Tab-separated table of all heavy atoms in Angstrom:
chain	number	residue	atom	x	y	z
A	116	THR	N	75.780	-23.379	156.366
A	116	THR	CA	75.761	-24.381	155.292
A	116	THR	C	77.190	-24.795	154.920
A	116	THR	O	78.138	-24.038	155.126
A	116	THR	CB	75.071	-23.845	154.013
A	116	THR	OG1	75.761	-22.669	153.573
A	116	THR	CG2	73.616	-23.508	154.253
A	117	GLY	N	77.298	-25.987	154.377
A	117	GLY	CA	78.585	-26.459	153.859
A	117	GLY	C	78.344	-27.118	152.519
A	117	GLY	O	77.258	-27.674	152.282
A	118	PHE	N	79.319	-27.036	151.630
A	118	PHE	CA	79.116	-27.578	150.286
A	118	PHE	C	80.310	-28.445	149.896
A	118	PHE	O	81.464	-28.001	149.955
A	118	PHE	CB	78.955	-26.424	149.284
A	118	PHE	CG	78.362	-26.847	147.966
A	118	PHE	CD1	77.021	-26.599	147.672
A	118	PHE	CD2	79.127	-27.506	147.009
A	118	PHE	CE1	76.464	-26.997	146.466
A	118	PHE	CE2	78.586	-27.919	145.810
A	118	PHE	CZ	77.243	-27.662	145.523
A	119	VAL	N	80.016	-29.675	149.495
A	119	VAL	CA	81.065	-30.564	148.972
A	119	VAL	C	80.939	-30.583	147.450
A	119	VAL	O	79.887	-30.946	146.917
A	119	VAL	CB	80.883	-31.994	149.509
A	119	VAL	CG1	81.942	-32.919	148.911
A	119	VAL	CG2	80.947	-32.010	151.025
A	120	PHE	N	82.005	-30.170	146.776
A	120	PHE	CA	81.975	-30.121	145.307
A	120	PHE	C	82.343	-31.484	144.717
A	120	PHE	O	83.124	-32.234	145.298
A	120	PHE	CB	82.944	-29.056	144.788
A	120	PHE	CG	82.482	-27.657	145.073
A	120	PHE	CD1	82.730	-27.063	146.298
A	120	PHE	CD2	81.776	-26.939	144.118
A	120	PHE	CE1	82.283	-25.785	146.573
A	120	PHE	CE2	81.337	-25.664	144.389
A	120	PHE	CZ	81.590	-25.082	145.612
A	121	GLN	N	81.793	-31.736	143.543
A	121	GLN	CA	82.047	-33.014	142.874
A	121	GLN	C	83.541	-33.227	142.634
A	121	GLN	O	84.062	-34.304	142.827
A	121	GLN	CB	81.293	-33.050	141.544
A	121	GLN	CG	81.317	-34.404	140.867
A	121	GLN	CD	80.474	-34.413	139.611
A	121	GLN	OE1	80.351	-33.404	138.912
A	121	GLN	NE2	79.885	-35.549	139.302
A	122	ASP	N	84.224	-32.141	142.219
A	122	ASP	CA	85.652	-32.274	141.920
A	122	ASP	C	86.510	-31.619	143.010
A	122	ASP	O	87.578	-31.092	142.739
A	122	ASP	CB	85.965	-31.662	140.553
A	122	ASP	CG	85.423	-30.256	140.425
A	122	ASP	OD1	84.822	-29.778	141.411
A	122	ASP	OD2	85.592	-29.629	139.369
A	123	ALA	N	86.026	-31.646	144.227
A	123	ALA	CA	86.713	-31.141	145.422
A	123	ALA	C	86.786	-29.609	145.472
A	123	ALA	O	86.465	-29.000	146.474
A	123	ALA	CB	88.092	-31.759	145.605
A	124	ALA	N	87.265	-28.968	144.372
A	124	ALA	CA	87.352	-27.501	144.311
A	124	ALA	C	88.113	-26.915	145.496
A	124	ALA	O	87.687	-25.937	146.105
A	124	ALA	CB	85.945	-26.887	144.212
A	125	LEU	N	89.243	-27.534	145.815
A	125	LEU	CA	90.079	-26.972	146.878
A	125	LEU	C	90.845	-25.784	146.321
A	125	LEU	O	91.109	-25.723	145.123
A	125	LEU	CB	91.055	-28.032	147.395
A	125	LEU	CG	90.417	-29.287	147.997
A	125	LEU	CD1	91.492	-30.280	148.405
A	125	LEU	CD2	89.538	-28.935	149.177
A	126	TRP	N	91.210	-24.854	147.193
A	126	TRP	CA	91.969	-23.683	146.747
A	126	TRP	C	93.429	-24.093	146.565
A	126	TRP	O	94.122	-24.433	147.533
A	126	TRP	CB	91.821	-22.556	147.756
A	126	TRP	CG	90.383	-22.170	147.897
A	126	TRP	CD1	89.549	-21.748	146.888
A	126	TRP	CD2	89.587	-22.210	149.071
A	126	TRP	NE1	88.285	-21.518	147.391
A	126	TRP	CE2	88.281	-21.784	148.711
A	126	TRP	CE3	89.832	-22.547	150.396
A	126	TRP	CZ2	87.238	-21.703	149.630
A	126	TRP	CZ3	88.795	-22.459	151.312
A	126	TRP	CH2	87.528	-22.043	150.915
A	127	ALA	N	93.861	-24.038	145.320
A	127	ALA	CA	95.171	-24.587	144.960
A	127	ALA	C	96.329	-23.855	145.638
A	127	ALA	O	97.373	-24.457	145.895
A	127	ALA	CB	95.340	-24.530	143.439
A	128	ASP	N	96.135	-22.570	145.931
A	128	ASP	CA	97.247	-21.802	146.506
A	128	ASP	C	97.236	-21.812	148.033
A	128	ASP	O	97.987	-21.076	148.665
A	128	ASP	CB	97.211	-20.357	145.983
A	128	ASP	CG	95.921	-19.652	146.370
A	128	ASP	OD1	94.991	-20.332	146.828
A	128	ASP	OD2	95.844	-18.424	146.212
A	129	THR	N	96.376	-22.640	148.601
A	129	THR	CA	96.258	-22.691	150.059
A	129	THR	C	96.526	-24.130	150.508
A	129	THR	O	96.081	-25.074	149.854
A	129	THR	CB	94.817	-22.294	150.475
A	129	THR	OG1	94.519	-21.054	149.855
A	129	THR	CG2	94.674	-22.161	151.970
A	130	ASN	N	97.241	-24.282	151.629
A	130	ASN	CA	97.537	-25.650	152.059
A	130	ASN	C	96.290	-26.330	152.649
A	130	ASN	O	95.229	-25.706	152.762
A	130	ASN	CB	98.729	-25.674	153.029
A	130	ASN	CG	98.429	-24.957	154.333
A	130	ASN	OD1	97.279	-24.775	154.709
A	130	ASN	ND2	99.475	-24.537	155.021
A	131	ILE	N	96.427	-27.596	152.998
A	131	ILE	CA	95.272	-28.376	153.442
A	131	ILE	C	94.646	-27.776	154.697
A	131	ILE	O	93.422	-27.618	154.787
A	131	ILE	CB	95.690	-29.849	153.697
A	131	ILE	CG1	96.240	-30.459	152.399
A	131	ILE	CG2	94.533	-30.673	154.234
A	131	ILE	CD1	95.377	-30.275	151.176
A	132	LEU	N	95.504	-27.396	155.646
A	132	LEU	CA	94.986	-26.786	156.868
A	132	LEU	C	94.211	-25.505	156.536
A	132	LEU	O	93.115	-25.275	157.056
A	132	LEU	CB	96.143	-26.480	157.831
A	132	LEU	CG	95.745	-25.822	159.143
A	132	LEU	CD1	94.835	-26.734	159.951
A	132	LEU	CD2	96.972	-25.465	159.962
A	133	GLY	N	94.778	-24.694	155.657
A	133	GLY	CA	94.128	-23.440	155.272
A	133	GLY	C	92.791	-23.671	154.597
A	133	GLY	O	91.825	-22.936	154.825
A	134	ASN	N	92.727	-24.710	153.754
A	134	ASN	CA	91.465	-25.028	153.075
A	134	ASN	C	90.381	-25.397	154.077
A	134	ASN	O	89.266	-24.887	154.012
A	134	ASN	CB	91.682	-26.200	152.107
A	134	ASN	CG	91.978	-25.739	150.699
A	134	ASN	OD1	91.065	-25.410	149.946
A	134	ASN	ND2	93.252	-25.663	150.340
A	135	VAL	N	90.732	-26.292	155.009
A	135	VAL	CA	89.707	-26.774	155.946
A	135	VAL	C	89.366	-25.702	156.983
A	135	VAL	O	88.215	-25.580	157.413
A	135	VAL	CB	90.188	-28.076	156.632
A	135	VAL	CG1	89.154	-28.579	157.628
A	135	VAL	CG2	90.453	-29.150	155.585
A	136	ALA	N	90.359	-24.903	157.336
A	136	ALA	CA	90.134	-23.903	158.390
A	136	ALA	C	89.354	-22.677	157.902
A	136	ALA	O	88.796	-21.937	158.715
A	136	ALA	CB	91.487	-23.458	158.962
A	137	MET	N	89.292	-22.478	156.589
A	137	MET	CA	88.722	-21.233	156.071
A	137	MET	C	87.311	-20.914	156.583
A	137	MET	O	87.052	-19.772	157.001
A	137	MET	CB	88.751	-21.242	154.540
A	137	MET	CG	88.338	-19.931	153.903
A	137	MET	SD	89.466	-18.581	154.285
A	137	MET	CE	90.628	-18.718	152.925
A	138	PRO	N	86.361	-21.875	156.575
A	138	PRO	CA	85.022	-21.522	157.072
A	138	PRO	C	85.051	-21.010	158.519
A	138	PRO	O	84.291	-20.102	158.870
A	138	PRO	CB	84.254	-22.849	156.978
A	138	PRO	CG	84.970	-23.626	155.932
A	138	PRO	CD	86.408	-23.262	156.086
A	139	LEU	N	85.927	-21.577	159.341
A	139	LEU	CA	86.019	-21.116	160.733
A	139	LEU	C	86.677	-19.742	160.802
A	139	LEU	O	86.278	-18.898	161.602
A	139	LEU	CB	86.806	-22.134	161.573
A	139	LEU	CG	86.145	-23.502	161.746
A	139	LEU	CD1	87.077	-24.471	162.453
A	139	LEU	CD2	84.839	-23.373	162.521
A	140	ARG	N	87.684	-19.536	159.968
A	140	ARG	CA	88.345	-18.216	159.964
A	140	ARG	C	87.365	-17.128	159.549
A	140	ARG	O	87.446	-15.994	160.012
A	140	ARG	CB	89.540	-18.225	159.009
A	140	ARG	CG	90.734	-18.978	159.564
A	140	ARG	CD	91.875	-19.012	158.580
A	140	ARG	NE	93.010	-19.751	159.129
A	140	ARG	CZ	93.940	-20.330	158.389
A	140	ARG	NH1	93.884	-20.254	157.077
A	140	ARG	NH2	94.931	-20.965	158.955
Side-chain angles (χ1 to χ4, degrees):
Chain A
T116 58
F118 196 102
V119 178
F120 289 84
Q121 189 176 32
D122 51 1
L125 300 177
W126 300 303
D128 61 348
T129 308
N130 65 21
I131 300 310
L132 179 62
N134 265 278
V135 179
M137 187 64 90
L139 294 173
R140 285 178 180 156

